[in-house]
Amino acid sequence: PFETFGVHCKRADKRFPFNSQEFAGKLGELIQDKFHKKVDLETPDLWVHVEILQRVFCFHFKTILIEEISLVD
């Protein structure tokens, strides 16, 4: 379980309609609405890393103190 989270986004495909910061903000809002957690961009319990490739999103979740979980190898 986590109480705080941060989102980091990297956009390799520059044709994607949002820049990295805009996408991270939109995803952060969705996470806040769904899980009712607080944003902490300095020392969050959970980092959500997103890489936007051509027609593909790669998500990587890393909890700072507990474990590392990758949804895509």
Side-chain angles (χ1 to χ4, degrees):
F2 65 98
E3 294 302 317
T4 62
F5 73 96
V7 178
H8 176 263
C9 183
K10 182 177 177 184
R11 183 178 56 125
D13 185 355
K14 302 302 182 197
R15 296 172 297 168
F16 189 73
F18 303 107
N19 68 35
S20 299
Q21 189 173 9
E22 290 170 332
F23 187 80
K26 290 181 181 298
L27 181 58
E29 287 178 15
L30 290 173
I31 293 169
Q32 272 187 311
D33 290 346
K34 177 70 176 176
F35 297 103
H36 309 289
K37 304 298 182 179
K38 294 181 182 179
V39 174
D40 180 350
L41 299 178
E42 296 294 322
T43 56
D45 297 329
L46 174 72
W47 270 113
V48 178
H49 295 276
V50 181
E51 188 165 356
I52 301 170
L53 306 172
Q54 189 175 1
R55 292 179 279 160
V56 175
F57 293 91
C58 296
F59 290 89
H60 180 91
F61 301 89
K62 183 175 182 181
T63 55
I64 303 303
L65 299 174
I66 302 169
E67 62 185 285
E68 191 170 308
I69 304 166
S70 181
L71 297 180
V72 179
D73 290 335

